[in-house]
């Protein structure tokens, strides 16, 4: 079906347990139907790397630059461990 061929879109947010100093990353993935759009506000943790097929991306003319980042645990001391 077209939904199965669309791949997955990931979105997440940092969350804190009540009374805890450390936080954790909550993530979910969902399918986007063909010919539909998803609005993602600036600064939103997300990944479209798992979408399949051709997709159009529209950026505002005020967009600064597009950044790709690795999200690491604070305790990570090397490049092998600690990546979330």
């Amino acid at each position: 079906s077209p939904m199965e061929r669309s791949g997955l879109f990931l979105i997440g947010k940092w969350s804190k347990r009540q009374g805890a100093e450390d936080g954790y990353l909550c993530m979910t993935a969902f399918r986007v139907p063909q010919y539909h759009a998803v609005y993602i506000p600036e600064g939103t943790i997300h990944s479209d790397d798992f979408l399949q097929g051709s997709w159009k991306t529209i950026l505002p003319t005020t967009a600064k630059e597009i950044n790709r980042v690795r999200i690491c645990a604070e305790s990570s001391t090397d490049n092998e461990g600690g990546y979330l």
Side-chain angles (χ1 to χ4, degrees):
S1 79
M3 281 293 283
E4 291 173 351
R5 290 191 301 267
S6 69
L8 296 170
F9 184 85
L10 279 70
I11 192 164
K13 74 171 192 170
W14 285 110
S15 185
K16 268 193 162 178
R17 290 173 282 172
Q18 189 171 8
E21 290 185 22
D22 60 337
Y24 54 96
L25 182 61
C26 298
M27 296 204 69
T28 190
F30 58 93
R31 297 187 188 281
V32 179
Q34 291 180 332
Y35 311 111
H36 285 72
V38 177
Y39 171 75
I40 306 298
E42 184 177 344
T44 301
I45 299 170
H46 70 284
S47 174
D48 55 7
D49 292 342
F50 300 98
L51 291 173
Q52 299 172 356
S54 296
W55 293 87
K56 292 182 180 179
T57 301
I58 300 172
L59 301 171
T61 56
T62 58
K64 298 170 188 133
E65 61 181 44
I66 304 304
N67 295 321
R68 294 181 70 90
V69 298
R70 287 188 179 184
I71 299 174
C72 302
E74 285 186 42
S75 61
S76 174
T77 57
D78 58 47
N79 290 334
E80 296 299 319
Y83 290 117
L84 301 176

